[in-house]
């Protein structure tokens, strides 16, 4: 595998990553998760078995709304996903541009404290959205 990686062109890894991201976006667009039947069974295994929203619940719907330019609706389904998209997009463009074309974009320096804070906020969001009392019921998806 290492020999294959060493012999592959430098644009192969970014192209594979773009393909994976493109497949995810195509799935979100084609499945239209925003218009599922009210009686439809959840596709998330955690929600199907426990009835609880998992940390990623609402992410596909949020992606669908982001791709259609409706940021308020996307944030309603998964606020932290919408918050993270610009950072992830920039990190990907900086990495892919460097790998494929040798671009040197300004490095986005994110400290470990910020990453831990974001993961803590995501954990808190995941717990709070499952609480059955107001105002937390507004976080249900």
């Amino acid at each position: 595998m290492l020999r294959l990686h060493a012999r592959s062109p430098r644009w192969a890894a970014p192209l594979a990553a773009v393909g994976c991201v493109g497949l995810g976006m195509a799935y979100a667009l084609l499945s239209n998760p925003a218009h599922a039947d009210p009686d439809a069974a959840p596709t998330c295994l955690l929600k199907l078995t426990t009835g609880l929203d998992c940390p990623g619940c609402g992410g596909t719907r949020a992606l669908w709304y982001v791709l259609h330019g409706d940021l308020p609706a996307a944030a309603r389904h998964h606020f932290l996903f919408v918050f993270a998209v610009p950072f992830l997009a920039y990190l990907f463009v900086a990495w892919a541009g460097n790998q494929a074309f040798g671009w040197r974009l300004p490095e986005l320096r994110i400290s470990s404290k910020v990453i831990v804070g974001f993961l803590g906020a995501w954990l808190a969001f995941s717990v709070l959205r499952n609480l059955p009392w107001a105002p937390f019921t507004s976080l249900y998806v």
Side-chain angles (χ1 to χ4, degrees):
M1 191 60 122
L2 292 176
R3 280 185 279 168
L4 178 65
H5 180 266
R7 289 185 295 178
S8 65
R10 64 187 210 181
W11 49 262
L15 183 63
V18 165
C20 291
V21 170
L23 285 174
M25 288 181 177
Y27 171 76
L29 287 171
L30 293 174
S31 68
N32 195 358
H35 297 296
D37 290 331
D39 299 349
T43 56
C44 174
L45 184 60
L46 182 71
K47 188 160 187 141
L48 182 65
T49 56
T50 66
L52 299 173
D53 289 337
C54 75
C57 275
T60 306
R61 284 169 282 180
L63 176 62
W64 190 85
Y65 283 115
V66 165
L67 292 174
H68 286 85
D70 191 352
L71 294 182
R76 162 70 182 92
H77 287 280
H78 204 297
F79 175 76
L80 292 175
F81 171 80
V82 175
F83 175 78
V85 164
F87 296 103
L88 294 174
Y90 181 81
L91 287 170
F92 176 75
V93 168
W95 170 78
N98 187 15
Q99 290 292 313
F101 307 113
W103 296 346
R104 291 284 182 201
L105 296 176
E107 188 176 329
L108 184 62
R109 296 178 188 254
I110 303 174
S111 71
S112 58
K113 290 180 181 180
V114 170
I115 293 172
V116 168
F118 178 76
L119 293 175
W122 195 346
L123 176 65
F125 174 71
S126 300
V127 171
L128 294 175
R129 73 189 315 190
N130 286 297
L131 295 177
W133 315 291
F136 307 116
T137 53
S138 65
L139 298 174
Y140 285 170
V141 291

